[in-house]
Amino acid sequence: MPQSDIMSRQFPKQSVGLVSPQLFHFDEELKLRSGKVLKGFDLMVESYGQLNAQKSNAVLICHALSGDHHAAGYHSHKDKKPGWWESCIGPGKPIDTDRFFVVSLNNLGGCAGSTGPASINPQTGTYYGPDFPVVTVRDWVNSQVLLMKRLEISCWAAVVGGSLGGMQVLRWAISHAQSLQHAVCIAAAPKLSAQNIAFNEVARHSIISDPNFHAGRYLEEGVAPKQGLMLARMVGHITYLSDNAMRSKFGKTVEDFEAPGSNFGRDLRSGKLSYGFNVDFQVESYLHYQGERFSENFDANTYLLMTKALDYFDPSVDYGGDLSKAFSESDCKFLLMSFSTDWRFPPERSRELVNDLLKAGREVTYLEIDADEGHDAFLLPIPRYLEGLGAYMNQVFQKDCSNAA
Amino acid sequence: MPQSDIMSRQFPKQSVGLVSPQLFHFDEELKLRSGKVLKGFDLMVESYGQLNAQKSNAVLICHALSGDHHAAGYHSHKDKKPGWWESCIGPGKPIDTDRFFVVSLNNLGGCAGSTGPASINPQTGTYYGPDFPVVTVRDWVNSQVLLMKRLEISCWAAVVGGSLGGMQVLRWAISHAQSLQHAVCIAAAPKLSAQNIAFNEVARHSIISDPNFHAGRYLEEGVAPKQGLMLARMVGHITYLSDNAMRSKFGKTVEDFEAPGSNFGRDLRSGKLSYGFNVDFQVESYLHYQGERFSENFDANTYLLMTKALDYFDPSVDYGGDLSKAFSESDCKFLLMSFSTDWRFPPERSRELVNDLLKAGREVTYLEIDADEGHDAFLLPIPRYLEGLGAYMNQVFQKDCSNAA
């Protein structure tokens, strides 16, 4: 929850400001989809806003591949950047912390404080590393159910997430139908395409084939497979941006060269082509920068786990491949959103979900947002997106929470 | 040229059959776009069909990123696979060797016999490796002009190529307007998009960061950056296939699992999910296979060079960014083709070219082929594609070569 501090710098007005994460320990055994059992675990959690007396205004935020519990606000006065969903969460924002009690956590297997491969395995006294079990979206949701009980919340006003977070939302709606009023699933898909899986496998292979990977025991060796993780992120990053977004972000690439006489002219980075294998174009240095920064702040084993959770997600498998049957007992209401230039989980994939929800007789609102930013759009302050999400969440509050406000 | 052999196995009727490549040495200095000079070089060349008396029926084939001179036929009776464009080149095929004299070469910087990084540098007595200069599409075309002179051909009936090969076709039409009658440019683009460059940079970075790369001097070390090259190919391969093509090639991925009770059921590869980082889905083993096979047969330095030639291609730079001006002196006729699901060089990119050609007053035929196969389509025996190409080439022969037949 936000803290006040007389010495504090001024955070933006619509920010939750200074926040502190909180570690929750669970002694409960968690039986995983793989058949393995996690004997006790920690979840790192943040919350914003106040839980009302009737506990009817709680919203759960589910994070995507590289996200964590730090969805909004700042951890210190020195923080340059706020949480990853600052555009959506805060006072007066679409997920309005003046109204909602917002809970955000780092998922199991993560590397931001929750138990994961970079944690110490109490049974061995050293890092879990590759011994940390593969976790699925269902496992995450089961751990989130335990968190919900700990917080003494019996029903979420809404469970909200984008991308892999949206898949957790779907799993909540299918397996814990009584525990949420609204499912808000943004830029997701009912399951991965072969192309999605292929990109994930490239990412995994680049990590695993890094000589510093040491079969996942790199922490014990005091090293990290940074090159592999960097490559994984570079590939991933390309799939998060649309071709258009890249074009407008990095200018016109080659056509910005000057006309003849100047040895092809300048490029946007150094002034001229290198005729070597240095970086020539801005898009290359951008990818390097993104990849390097990520490789210094993220755990490679966690990256492997997250991509497998994506690959394995398919809630229709328990229903003979018919996703509409999966939704037959979901009595929450649904908001689905997609973005026109998202080619990772394009609008068609959200429409598949809408069709299955309608077939199941569910109440569903669908918003397809025109946006140039590709899959990344769900993290960005795109006015129509924020307006649409805000309008829906406002309705959630008016109908399902306000009697208790 | 095809050879007959009494002991030969039966090759398919519409194949040129057994062929032998021929090495051409050039003593000429080749001044490269980078400013560097290549003092003599070799080109590995194949030809199919017979040059007519008036030398009016010669067709030049330009290869793409990983192609070579071996475009059609078989090198031995044991060869399992024919040349890379067997579907298009042969007796009675679209590029009909009963009519045309077809010339195909391995480009400079290649690794199939022409001078490249894996060749011995006569000045040092060891492999060129990273000392082999960066070559551009223009440099390739200049070397092809020398080959043309050596073959005593003054004008190609057509210059034909797909992808990076199509870019060479455009360069011929722009810089050597008097030396070709027809430019056939398939599945290409006027220049790369930022996304295209980004994928190329991932490929390069994966090669360069492989510990076996040794700053490009791996041959001297007796090793090869196979992991890096494998990753590069895996990424590339994803971009050659459409999402649809992958889906139909690899079944329905997760939805092919059996229903509950069987631990998620089987996947298409091993029967059940691994809950580990082994290969779970067919698309993963397919990519591994493609990547491994490629990494055993291709030179990593050549891969770097080819991707840079792609990145640097932009014939508009000499014309203030206006490609239509580049075509103002091209008096050949143009056939452009694209494929509906090609997302590497999608139809829009070919239409850009068509528009610039029309603006320049050129005669251009454009065919957009509905095909599920993505960028790879240009290599595949897709009936409408072969019919379209064949109809055009037939016209080329009737109008421009037959008087000399």
Side-chain angles (χ1 to χ4, degrees):
Chain A
M1 271 161 278
Q3 297 174 345
S4 64
D5 182 341
I6 287 172
M7 304 294 290
S8 80
R9 88 168 199 241
Q10 290 293 312
F11 292 113
K13 256 190 188 171
Q14 280 198 305
S15 176
V16 296
L18 208 58
V19 295
S20 294
Q22 195 182 344
L23 195 67
F24 286 79
H25 179 74
F26 296 83
D27 282 324
E28 292 94 329
E29 281 198 348
L30 190 68
K31 191 171 181 203
L32 304 173
R33 190 71 180 155
S34 63
K36 292 191 176 167
V37 175
L38 216 51
K39 295 181 179 171
F41 58 92
D42 296 329
L43 291 179
M44 189 64 91
V45 180
E46 278 181 18
S47 65
Y48 324 109
Q50 298 292 335
L51 188 61
N52 63 18
Q54 298 196 357
K55 300 184 176 178
S56 65
N57 70 334
V59 170
L60 176 67
I61 306 294
C62 301
H63 72 71
L65 198 145
S66 59
D68 56 28
H69 55 280
H70 186 37
Y74 298 80
H75 281 166
S76 87
H77 290 286
K78 290 176 187 165
D79 274 7
K80 284 180 189 156
K81 283 193 173 181
W84 56 268
W85 222 7
E86 181 77 2
S87 57
C88 281
I89 302 168
K93 289 185 178 171
I95 301 169
D96 188 346
T97 52
D98 287 339
R99 296 171 154 190
F100 293 108
F101 174 65
V102 180
V103 177
S104 175
L105 77 156
N106 184 216
N107 276 326
L108 270 180
C111 54
S114 293
T115 304
S119 308
I120 297 296
N121 180 348
Q123 295 185 300
T124 64
T126 184
Y127 304 104
Y128 276 101
D131 299 332
F132 196 89
V134 166
V135 281
T136 66
V137 168
R138 194 185 313 229
D139 297 329
W140 286 334
V141 169
N142 287 339
S143 73
Q144 291 160 7
V145 168
L146 294 175
L147 174 64
M148 182 192 194
K149 287 179 184 162
R150 177 74 61 87
L151 297 173
E152 297 177 351
I153 293 164
S154 59
C155 187
W156 300 107
V159 180
V160 184
S163 192
L164 179 54
M167 293 170 173
Q168 294 161 61
V169 172
L170 296 176
R171 174 52 67 195
W172 268 98
I174 291 165
S175 298
H176 304 279
Q178 310 308 317
S179 303
L180 70 166
Q181 301 265 15
H182 295 268
V184 178
C185 171
I186 305 168
K191 67 181 175 207
L192 296 206
S193 69
Q195 188 186 75
N196 293 147
I197 294 175
F199 278 122
N200 282 345
E201 176 55 18
V202 168
R204 283 190 294 267
H205 192 75
S206 71
I207 290 169
I208 289 171
S209 66
D210 185 316
N212 281 332
F213 183 64
H214 294 286
R217 303 207 185 275
Y218 48 87
L219 290 176
E220 292 175 53
E221 303 284 335
V223 294
K226 282 194 185 176
Q227 284 295 342
L229 192 53
M230 177 178 170
L231 272 169
R233 184 60 167 187
M234 287 168 76
V235 174
H237 210 86
I238 298 175
T239 71
Y240 305 150
L241 298 180
S242 69
D243 194 11
N244 273 350
M246 282 199 155
R247 201 169 304 157
S248 47
K249 220 178 180 108
F250 307 112
K252 292 168 178 172
T253 67
V254 196
E255 83 186 11
D256 272 311
F257 291 130
E258 281 165 10
S262 60
N263 198 22
F264 250 129
R266 68 183 166 81
D267 86 306
L268 294 175
R269 190 162 181 275
S270 69
K272 62 178 179 175
L273 294 174
S274 71
Y275 290 104
F277 300 108
N278 300 320
V279 163
D280 277 302
F281 300 101
Q282 271 205 330
V283 64
E284 301 173 76
S285 50
Y286 172 79
L287 277 186
H288 280 222
Y289 173 76
Q290 293 291 336
E292 270 174 15
R293 206 180 53 169
F294 187 76
S295 73
E296 283 159 11
N297 294 301
F298 206 82
D299 180 63
N301 282 319
T302 289
Y303 202 86
L304 296 178
L305 289 174
M306 297 283 155
T307 59
K308 271 290 172 186
L310 275 164
D311 288 6
Y312 282 7
F313 181 72
D314 180 3
S316 79
V317 289
D318 292 339
Y319 303 87
D322 183 348
L323 190 61
S324 72
K325 287 185 188 153
F327 291 125
S328 61
E329 290 175 28
S330 310
D331 59 0
C332 62
K333 296 182 180 109
F334 290 81
L335 170 64
L336 271 80
M337 299 179 98
S338 67
F339 299 92
S340 53
T341 59
D342 183 350
W343 62 280
R344 187 176 174 90
F345 298 142
E348 300 90 279
R349 309 308 310 277
S350 282
R351 287 197 292 265
E352 285 175 41
L353 285 166
V354 170
N355 289 337
D356 282 324
L357 284 164
L358 292 175
K359 200 172 156 197
R362 300 279 76 84
E363 197 176 319
V364 53
T365 302
Y366 175 53
L367 270 175
E368 194 170 312
I369 308 288
D370 263 329
D372 241 12
E373 291 82 353
H375 187 61
D376 252 6
F378 88 91
L379 295 166
L380 300 174
I382 295 162
R384 277 190 65 80
Y385 163 45
L386 300 188
E387 280 165 26
L389 179 59
Y392 189 90
M393 292 303 293
N394 188 38
Q395 212 183 27
V396 168
F397 184 77
Q398 300 296 345
K399 287 189 187 165
D400 300 313
C401 312
S402 59
N403 59 332
Chain B
M1 270 161 273
Q3 297 173 346
S4 65
D5 181 342
I6 288 171
M7 304 294 290
S8 82
R9 89 169 199 242
Q10 291 292 312
F11 292 113
K13 256 192 189 169
Q14 281 198 305
S15 176
V16 297
L18 207 59
V19 295
S20 294
Q22 196 183 340
L23 194 66
F24 286 78
H25 178 73
F26 295 84
D27 282 324
E28 291 93 330
E29 283 198 346
L30 190 68
K31 191 171 181 204
L32 303 173
R33 190 70 180 155
S34 64
K36 291 190 179 168
V37 175
L38 216 51
K39 294 180 180 171
F41 59 91
D42 295 330
L43 291 179
M44 189 65 92
V45 179
E46 276 181 19
S47 65
Y48 324 109
Q50 298 293 335
L51 188 61
N52 63 17
Q54 297 196 356
K55 300 183 175 179
S56 65
N57 70 334
V59 170
L60 176 68
I61 306 294
C62 301
H63 72 72
L65 197 145
S66 59
D68 56 28
H69 55 280
H70 186 37
Y74 298 80
H75 281 166
S76 88
H77 290 287
K78 291 175 186 166
D79 274 7
K80 284 179 190 158
K81 284 194 171 177
W84 56 268
W85 222 7
E86 181 76 2
S87 56
C88 282
I89 302 168
K93 288 185 178 171
I95 300 169
D96 188 345
T97 51
D98 287 339
R99 295 173 155 188
F100 291 109
F101 174 66
V102 180
V103 177
S104 175
L105 77 155
N106 183 216
N107 276 327
L108 269 180
C111 54
S114 294
T115 303
S119 308
I120 298 297
N121 180 347
Q123 295 184 301
T124 63
T126 185
Y127 304 102
Y128 276 102
D131 299 331
F132 195 88
V134 165
V135 280
T136 65
V137 168
R138 194 187 311 230
D139 297 328
W140 286 335
V141 170
N142 287 340
S143 72
Q144 291 161 5
V145 168
L146 294 176
L147 174 64
M148 183 191 194
K149 287 180 184 163
R150 177 74 61 86
L151 297 172
E152 297 178 349
I153 293 164
S154 58
C155 187
W156 301 105
V159 179
V160 184
S163 193
L164 179 54
M167 292 170 173
Q168 294 161 60
V169 172
L170 297 177
R171 174 52 66 194
W172 268 99
I174 291 166
S175 299
H176 304 278
Q178 309 307 317
S179 303
L180 71 165
Q181 301 265 13
H182 295 267
V184 178
C185 172
I186 305 167
K191 68 183 174 204
L192 294 207
S193 70
Q195 189 187 74
N196 292 149
I197 293 176
F199 278 121
N200 281 346
E201 177 55 18
V202 169
R204 283 190 293 265
H205 193 75
S206 70
I207 291 169
I208 288 171
S209 66
D210 185 317
N212 282 332
F213 183 65
H214 294 287
R217 303 208 184 273
Y218 48 87
L219 290 176
E220 292 174 53
E221 304 282 335
V223 294
K226 282 194 185 175
Q227 285 295 341
L229 192 54
M230 177 178 170
L231 273 167
R233 184 60 168 187
M234 287 168 76
V235 173
H237 210 85
I238 299 174
T239 70
Y240 305 150
L241 298 180
S242 70
D243 194 10
N244 273 350
M246 282 200 153
R247 202 169 302 156
S248 47
K249 220 177 181 108
F250 307 112
K252 292 167 175 172
T253 67
V254 195
E255 83 186 8
D256 273 311
F257 291 129
E258 280 164 9
S262 59
N263 197 19
F264 251 126
R266 68 184 165 82
D267 86 307
L268 293 175
R269 188 161 182 274
S270 69
K272 62 177 179 175
L273 293 174
S274 71
Y275 291 106
F277 301 108
N278 301 320
V279 163
D280 278 301
F281 300 100
Q282 271 205 330
V283 63
E284 300 173 76
S285 50
Y286 171 80
L287 276 186
H288 280 221
Y289 173 76
Q290 292 291 337
E292 269 172 17
R293 206 180 54 168
F294 186 76
S295 73
E296 284 159 11
N297 294 300
F298 206 83
D299 180 65
N301 283 319
T302 289
Y303 202 85
L304 296 178
L305 289 175
M306 297 284 157
T307 59
K308 271 291 173 184
L310 275 164
D311 288 6
Y312 282 7
F313 182 72
D314 180 2
S316 79
V317 289
D318 292 338
Y319 302 87
D322 183 347
L323 190 60
S324 71
K325 287 186 189 154
F327 291 126
S328 61
E329 290 174 28
S330 310
D331 58 0
C332 62
K333 295 179 181 114
F334 290 82
L335 170 64
L336 272 81
M337 299 180 97
S338 68
F339 300 93
S340 55
T341 60
D342 182 351
W343 62 280
R344 188 176 174 89
F345 298 141
E348 299 90 280
R349 308 308 311 277
S350 282
R351 288 197 292 265
E352 285 176 40
L353 285 167
V354 170
N355 288 337
D356 281 324
L357 285 165
L358 292 175
K359 200 171 156 199
R362 299 280 75 85
E363 197 176 319
V364 53
T365 303
Y366 175 53
L367 270 176
E368 196 170 311
I369 309 288
D370 263 329
D372 240 13
E373 291 83 352
H375 187 61
D376 254 6
F378 88 90
L379 295 167
L380 300 173
I382 295 161
R384 276 191 64 80
Y385 163 44
L386 300 188
E387 279 164 27
L389 180 58
Y392 189 89
M393 292 303 292
N394 188 37
Q395 212 183 26
V396 168
F397 183 77
Q398 301 297 345
K399 287 191 186 164
D400 300 314
C401 314
S402 59
N403 59 332

